[in-house]
Amino acid sequence: MTNPHSDKPGVAIVTGASSGIGKVYADRLAARGYDLVLVARREERLRAIAADLRQRYAVNAEVMVADLSRPAGAAAVADRLSSDASVSLLVNNAGFSALKPLTDTPDDVIVDMVGLNVTALTMLSKAALVAFKTRNAGTIVNVGSGAGFAPYPGIPVYGSTKAYVYLFTQSLQGEVGGTSVRVQLVLPGAVISEGWDVAGGADLAPLPENIMMTTEDCVDAALAGLDQGERVTCPSLHDDTILREFEALSGRALQSMFDGKPAARYNVGG
Ligand SMILES: NC(=O)c1ccc[n+]([C@@H]2O[C@H](COP(=O)([O-])OP(=O)(O)OC[C@H]3O[C@@H](n4cnc5c(N)ncnc54)[C@H](OP(=O)(O)O)[C@@H]3O)[C@@H](O)[C@H]2O)c1
């Protein structure tokens, strides 16, 4: 997690730093001495957060206004990852949801959600991976969701984008094997943030308080998991044997598919 040419940890790029989980990541990373590039669309908020971090932690905090659901926005951040050797950490956190069945989800919302949650995260991961592997140093943190584990009513597109983040990030972990580059997958459960309003949660009954985690607890647990060397961090999953069993079973399902003969229950062939 450190820049090999300096005692300082380097620059962290945090996407979705204008609110919620990303804003807390920015705070905690500044506290650890990282200089920051804060990415989101709401410039005024980013500027206020950057000024606050500079003042409280004596780090550099820069604002990068980009709409990551658009190719040009993602390309601008990818360029920074490719061209700035002081970048040592990428937190791919920006994402949004819509609490709607597919038939009620407007086409432009689907395009934006896949563009942000899937395409931008993929392009930024690629740019970081190329740069970090060249330097044999650096960390990528991808924020998925427990919603990617299994279908959940009302979030068909969101849950599926997070299922993508789950598989994609674990594939990246395969690509950094034997190097010093780290890739962490963070899977929050339900976290109190503006994301619920963005998703349209105000139209629904509030979720029970006891299932909701604060953004602070979520990020502190995620960073503790990173420090402990976890590949996959689920801040609210108390029994982590569930995760290991899930991984083992899905791996077994994949391996079991490699058979040229139709299964006997289909009564195909002789
Ligand atoms: N809250 C939860 O319960 C929960 C659970 C599991 C996973 N997560 C994941 O955690 C991540 C952060 O969510 P959050 O709960 O902290 O929500 P949030 O408070 O709404 O934060 C989302 C962030 O993403 C940015 N963003 C949204 N659209 C963007 C775009 N097109 N281009 C650039 N930035 C964009 C927003 O900034 P601007 O609007 O200023 O662009 C904001 O900074 C997401 O990936 C989410 O899926 C959240």
Side-chain angles (χ1 to χ4, degrees):
M1 236 166 71
T2 54
N3 179 339
H5 307 296
S6 155
D7 292 340
K8 295 189 76 181
V11 174
I13 297 184
V14 180
T15 70
S18 63
S19 68
I21 293 169
K23 184 178 169 188
V24 178
Y25 259 114
D27 179 90
R28 300 307 196 248
L29 294 173
R32 290 177 176 219
Y34 282 90
D35 293 322
L36 287 153
V37 177
L38 308 176
V39 183
R41 293 165 303 177
R42 287 171 291 180
E43 185 170 0
E44 271 187 31
R45 276 190 180 220
L46 289 178
R47 291 206 178 285
I49 293 165
D52 176 56
L53 295 178
R54 280 193 295 265
Q55 201 248 322
R56 283 194 295 128
Y57 299 111
V59 295
N60 290 329
E62 193 185 312
V63 163
M64 198 167 174
V65 178
D67 182 347
L68 295 175
S69 64
R70 302 274 170 270
V77 182
D79 281 352
R80 179 65 181 264
L81 282 158
S82 306
S83 61
D84 183 349
S86 65
V87 178
S88 60
L89 175 60
L90 167 67
V91 182
N92 258 322
N93 161 77
F96 82 98
S97 175
L99 293 159
K100 285 179 194 307
L102 183 63
T103 45
D104 294 343
T105 312
D107 289 355
D108 59 337
V109 172
I110 295 172
V111 170
D112 286 354
M113 199 184 301
V114 174
L116 178 63
N117 298 9
V118 172
T119 311
L121 177 132
T122 305
M123 302 316 286
L124 299 191
S125 294
K126 182 185 172 194
L129 197 60
V130 170
F132 293 169
K133 281 183 87 170
T134 304
R135 299 196 285 278
N136 196 26
T139 302
I140 299 171
V141 176
N142 283 351
V143 179
S145 168
F149 279 136
Y152 197 84
I155 46 169
V157 183
Y158 176 71
S160 304
T161 65
K162 293 299 182 177
Y164 176 92
V165 175
Y166 178 82
L167 280 189
F168 171 73
T169 306
Q170 295 191 71
S171 298
L172 291 192
Q173 290 170 338
E175 290 200 32
V176 298
T179 77
S180 298
V181 179
R182 296 201 48 204
V183 178
Q184 184 199 25
L185 171 63
V186 175
L187 304 175
V191 178
I192 304 161
S193 78
E194 289 170 26
W196 290 92
D197 299 330
V198 173
D203 300 339
L204 306 174
L207 289 170
E209 258 177 44
N210 65 329
I211 72 159
M212 303 292 291
M213 187 177 279
T214 64
T215 48
E216 288 81 2
D217 280 352
C218 176
V219 174
D220 288 339
L223 286 171
L226 184 66
D227 293 341
Q228 289 166 22
E230 278 190 347
R231 282 183 313 106
V232 183
T233 298
C234 302
S236 54
L237 187 66
H238 292 253
D239 179 2
D240 66 355
T241 59
I242 294 173
L243 178 65
R244 285 197 288 277
E245 285 170 16
F246 183 84
E247 288 179 341
L249 257 186
S250 57
R252 219 176 105 205
L254 172 64
Q255 290 304 326
S256 305
M257 297 290 291
F258 296 116
D259 192 311
K261 292 186 294 297
R265 66 185 172 281
Y266 300 120
N267 295 317
V268 174

